[in-house]
Amino acid sequence: MRINGPIAYIVLYAALYAAFGVASPFWPKFFETRALTSQQIGLILAAAMSMRLVAGPLVGMLADLLGSLRLVLATCAALAAGTAAALLWADTFWLLFFIALVQAAALAPTTSIVDALSVNAAKPQIARKPFEYGRIRGSASAAFVSGTLAIGQLISGSDLTPIIWMNAVLLVAAAAATALVPSVTTQPEPHNSGSPVLAELRGLLRISTFRVLIIVSALVYGSHAMHDAFAVIRWSAAGIETSVISILWSEAVAAEVLVFFLIGPALLDRFGARAAAVLAAAAGIVRWSIEGVTTSVLLLSILQPLHGLTFALLHLACMRMMGTLVPARLAGTAQAVYAFGSALVTAALTLSSGILYAKYGGAAFVPMAVLCGVALPFAWFGFADERHRSADAL
């Protein structure tokens, strides 16, 4: 069965990101209900993050090698659903640890591969015109929030099993939804010697604009590490009520959806990917510089919507660049490298953020602003060279 137009992609993204929304905020609490200590929970989460860093690029390259993005995506989603269900019967630390690692490996490449399908390979159209990726990705963000809100009404402090079932069902739905999108089969070009995937990867990394894209995205996305780890702790210590904190976080997500749907595509069409990337980096400088010196609810409520620029707008700019720089046969690899760069920097900064925050408090946000400052000239000069150049000749 096929659904005409972009609806199939919206269904696929919505199922996948709703699955993330119902589970990812609550995994630590679920592990706690299995009588694990804080140290054991931390070990599972850290190991899962490390597994994602390794599995994402490897599976992305495998998808390109096999020439079937849909098959690999469906397999990963189905495997992740199975491991989620297996958690219901796991009652020891090592069994939970093993299942969490397998699930992390299965989930790691899913977002990269689905982006590879919609941005580089299949390129959904409506009325024979390219459909704006931002509207598809905005639907995913809205689905994530909806999933989180829905599961919040179904769980209790002592019973978190609805998380498992909803996560598994939605992942199965995502696997099934891959059958709705057009089949895209690509094959790497033949090479005289060595691994064809590694040869293609080397060719990809020879594109200067692609290298700059990885640097800029890693720096700006990584700069969110301090905020994601310690903003709520800092705001709570300043006496801000949890209901207000919830509203502040909701502002950021709402801005993200708005930029994906409306503002981002218009800015990209009007000013191009380079200007959008520069604006995202500049917004990061402003956001982290001010957040580091204030806990005023009024100022924070003004700053939080900048998330729409520091994340959503930059992601749209990078996807616009990917669409022109990366040939379909390298879509999975390119998206995996893109995700790996930001995940690696974010993991390193998250690890160091605890030390910085413990020593400097709010001033620890300043290095995050510096990172965005470093990214800004890369975006201005690096994105300009090959913004409209196709990499089909790679």
Side-chain angles (χ1 to χ4, degrees):
M1 187 178 79
R2 292 286 183 271
I3 298 178
N4 293 330
I7 301 301
Y9 296 91
I10 291 175
V11 171
L12 175 57
Y13 271 80
L16 187 62
Y17 278 81
F20 298 154
V22 302
S24 56
F26 301 104
W27 283 135
K29 180 63 178 177
F30 173 81
F31 291 135
E32 186 180 52
T33 64
R34 288 296 191 264
L36 299 189
T37 65
S38 298
Q39 292 84 352
Q40 289 173 326
I41 294 172
L43 180 59
I44 288 177
L45 296 178
M49 180 179 292
S50 300
M51 177 60 77
R52 285 192 292 270
L53 286 174
V54 174
L58 290 179
V59 178
M61 288 189 287
L62 175 64
D64 284 337
L65 181 63
L66 296 176
S68 182
L69 298 174
R70 288 196 316 159
L71 175 62
V72 175
L73 176 60
T75 301
C76 288
L79 178 59
T83 54
L87 288 171
L88 287 172
W89 293 278
D91 56 3
T92 66
F93 167 73
W94 287 112
L95 186 55
L96 288 165
F97 182 85
F98 173 75
I99 294 173
L101 284 189
V102 176
Q103 185 182 54
L107 287 176
T110 54
T111 55
S112 298
I113 294 176
V114 74
D115 279 344
L117 268 174
S118 61
V119 174
N120 298 98
K123 298 182 178 179
Q125 296 184 348
I126 188 168
R128 296 186 178 181
K129 294 182 179 179
F131 187 76
E132 175 55 52
Y133 165 81
R135 294 186 175 89
I136 298 176
R137 186 58 180 78
S139 300
S141 295
F144 184 98
V145 175
S146 299
T148 301
L149 293 175
I151 199 65
Q153 306 305 309
L154 299 176
I155 60 176
S156 65
S158 58
D159 182 17
L160 275 72
T161 54
I163 294 173
I164 300 296
W165 292 120
M166 283 192 68
N167 181 247
V169 168
L170 287 166
L171 286 171
V172 169
T178 61
L180 303 178
V181 302
S183 177
V184 179
T185 301
T186 61
Q187 291 295 341
E189 292 184 347
H191 294 269
N192 294 329
S193 61
S195 168
V197 173
L198 292 178
E200 296 278 27
L201 178 58
R202 286 193 295 269
L204 183 65
L205 293 176
R206 282 197 294 267
I207 304 174
S208 61
T209 306
F210 181 76
R211 296 197 304 270
V212 171
L213 183 153
I214 299 302
I215 292 171
V216 172
S217 61
L219 290 173
V220 177
Y221 295 154
S223 73
H224 291 72
M226 183 65 67
H227 173 82
D228 293 346
F230 291 102
V232 172
I233 293 174
R234 186 162 185 262
W235 298 345
S236 298
I240 300 177
E241 296 181 358
T242 54
S243 59
V244 177
I245 291 174
S246 176
I247 293 173
L248 289 173
W249 277 94
S250 298
E251 273 192 282
V253 177
E256 175 184 318
V257 174
L258 184 62
V259 170
F260 274 134
F261 270 110
L262 298 174
I263 299 174
L267 285 175
L268 282 167
D269 290 340
R270 180 72 175 84
F271 299 107
R274 179 179 73 169
V278 168
L279 179 58
I285 296 172
V286 173
R287 186 181 183 188
W288 309 133
S289 296
I290 299 177
E291 185 169 335
V293 297
T294 185
T295 54
S296 164
V297 173
L298 176 60
L299 289 177
L300 291 174
S301 67
I302 296 172
L303 289 175
Q304 281 298 92
L306 289 179
H307 183 73
L309 302 180
T310 58
F311 171 68
L313 182 61
L314 180 58
H315 184 63
L316 285 179
C318 290
M319 292 302 101
R320 185 71 63 92
M321 293 281 290
M322 289 276 202
T324 59
L325 287 173
V326 178
R329 69 178 186 274
L330 290 179
T333 302
Q335 292 287 350
V337 172
Y338 167 73
F340 175 81
S342 58
L344 180 63
V345 173
T346 300
L349 289 172
T350 300
L351 189 62
S352 61
S353 62
I355 300 172
L356 291 172
Y357 186 78
K359 189 171 184 179
Y360 301 107
F365 282 84
V366 174
M368 306 300 110
V370 172
L371 290 175
C372 293
V374 173
L376 196 150
F378 277 100
W380 179 259
F381 293 106
F383 271 49
D385 295 336
E386 299 173 90
R387 182 157 61 92
H388 298 295
R389 183 184 298 178
S390 172
D392 290 338
L394 178 64

